[in-house]
Amino acid sequence: MSPDLDIESLHKQLTASIATSAPLPYVRISFADSDAQEFLQGQLTLDLRQLDHSSHRVTAWCNAKGRVWAVLRIWRSDDGFEVLVPANQAEAFIKRMRMFVLRAQVSITPHTDVVQAHIGHGDRPDGALTTTSKTIVLHHGNDHRLIISAQPEAHDDNAQTRYQALRILNAEPHIDAQTQEKFLPQSLGLSELGGLHFNKGCYVGQEIVARVHYRGKAPQRLNFALNPSDETLQDKAVLRDIHTADTRLVQWVENIKN
C-alpha cells in the first residue's frame, strides 16, 4: 500500500454515517448432535477447542490440496456449531460436508433467516457474540457487526458496501465460488486472523498447509489498496473490487517475490 493513502480517514468515513443495515448474501448452517465438534475439528483450520460460547471466529475449509474452498465464520450454539457461508457456495458446501459425515452423529441444517450488516456504534469488542431469543449478533469491534434474525431491519443499500469495505480494512479475505480452491490459508492471512492453528490435529488439506508453514514462507500474500492504478493490479488475483465513499477499494492476492 502506498504510504500516502489515508486508510484511517476512509475508516472514519465508513463508520461516521448514521447507523444503517443491509442484507448480506450469507447462509447460516447448523452442525448439531453429539459428534459435531469432532466432525468439524477434522474439517476446519480452526482449533474448535479454543472457541468459547461468547465469541465467533473466522476459519476455512480446504480441499485435499490445502487450497481454501470457503472462508467461514463460526460460533458455538447450545447443541453444536453455527457457520456462515457465502450464499453462492452454501448448497455445494452442504453437499460436500455430508459426504464426509459417514457414521458420525452430525446433522447439517441450512436456515432461511436474514444475515444483515449493521454499521453503527456498539460497546462490544471484536469477536464478541451476543444472542437473544430473536437475534444472533456477531460483533466486529464497536462500529460494525452482523445481525442474524428472522425478519430484516429497514436498510440502506449502501451499508452492504460499507461493511465489505470495513472487512477489507480488517484484512478479512473474500472467497466465493469464483475464487475458491486457489489459495493456501496462509496466503489469505488466516493465521494472523486467528483462524488457522497448527497444533490442532488432522483436517482436510492439513498436511500441505503444515508443510508450507514449517518451511517458513507462503508463496502468496493478501493485500489491498485505495484507488490502485491498472499497473498495480497487473498479475494480481483480485478477490474484491468495490467503490465506497468516493473511493475504489481493491483486495487481492499477490505472489511473493524471492
Side-chain angles (χ1 to χ4, degrees), residues 126-146:
D126 188 21
L129 171 73
T130 56
T131 61
T132 70
S133 60
K134 295 183 179 180
T135 63
I136 302 169
V137 184
L138 283 61
H139 300 269
H140 295 306
N142 62 5
D143 51 32
H144 67 294
R145 60 205 57 84
L146 291 175

Side-chain angles (χ1 to χ4, degrees), residues 9-29:
S9 294
L10 176 60
H11 186 276
K12 289 180 178 178
Q13 289 181 51
L14 293 170
T15 57
S17 302
I18 188 171
T20 187
S21 300
L24 291 172
Y26 288 103
V27 175
R28 177 173 68 93
I29 302 171

Side-chain angles (χ1 to χ4, degrees), residues 1-2 4-14 158 161-162 164-166 168-169 224-229 233 240-252:
M1 291 177 289
S2 173
D4 60 345
L5 295 177
D6 193 344
I7 305 299
E8 183 177 355
S9 294
L10 176 60
H11 186 276
K12 289 180 178 178
Q13 289 181 51
L14 293 170
N158 188 45
T161 302
R162 290 165 62 198
Q164 293 167 348
L166 287 166
I168 291 175
L169 296 182
F224 72 90
L226 278 62
N227 301 317
S229 65
L233 295 178
R240 197 185 280 281
D241 186 347
I242 61 177
H243 288 79
T244 182
D246 299 321
T247 300
R248 183 188 184 193
L249 182 58
V250 183
Q251 181 187 66
W252 66 75

Side-chain angles (χ1 to χ4, degrees), residues 108-165:
I108 304 174
T109 307
H111 299 275
T112 58
D113 45 15
V114 180
V115 181
Q116 285 194 284
H118 184 269
I119 315 296
H121 179 71
D123 58 359
R124 300 283 179 155
D126 188 21
L129 171 73
T130 56
T131 61
T132 70
S133 60
K134 295 183 179 180
T135 63
I136 302 169
V137 184
L138 283 61
H139 300 269
H140 295 306
N142 62 5
D143 51 32
H144 67 294
R145 60 205 57 84
L146 291 175
I147 299 177
I148 305 170
S149 61
Q151 298 295 328
E153 300 178 6
H155 71 270
D156 173 3
D157 291 337
N158 188 45
Q160 182 180 131
T161 302
R162 290 165 62 198
Y163 175 84
Q164 293 167 348

Side-chain angles (χ1 to χ4, degrees), residues 45 58-60 68 71 173 184-196:
T45 59
V58 67
T59 185
V68 172
V71 173
L184 291 162
Q186 296 97 314
S187 299
L188 298 176
L190 287 172
S191 182
E192 290 80 359
L193 290 173
L196 172 61

Side-chain angles (χ1 to χ4, degrees), residues 25-80:
Y26 288 103
V27 175
R28 177 173 68 93
I29 302 171
S30 297
F31 289 79
D33 218 331
S34 58
D35 294 334
Q37 176 162 314
E38 182 180 359
F39 172 73
L40 287 174
Q41 184 79 348
Q43 298 296 324
L44 305 180
T45 59
L46 178 71
D47 188 347
L48 295 176
R49 295 169 298 185
Q50 299 187 25
L51 184 65
D52 60 33
H53 283 84
S54 61
S55 61
H56 63 94
R57 298 280 286 277
V58 67
T59 185
W61 185 78
C62 301
N63 65 15
K65 296 181 179 180
R67 268 53 181 183
V68 172
W69 196 96
V71 173
L72 317 170
R73 192 156 290 279
I74 186 168
W75 64 98
R76 289 185 181 273
S77 63
D78 291 339
D79 53 0

Side-chain angles (χ1 to χ4, degrees), residues 78-123:
D78 291 339
D79 53 0
F81 294 86
E82 308 288 331
V83 300
L84 287 184
V85 182
N88 65 356
Q89 292 179 293
E91 183 177 354
F93 176 75
I94 292 171
K95 182 178 180 179
R96 284 171 176 251
M97 288 296 101
R98 286 175 174 162
M99 290 172 57
F100 285 94
V101 168
L102 301 177
R103 297 181 181 179
Q105 295 297 309
V106 182
S107 62
I108 304 174
T109 307
H111 299 275
T112 58
D113 45 15
V114 180
V115 181
Q116 285 194 284
H118 184 269
I119 315 296
H121 179 71
D123 58 359

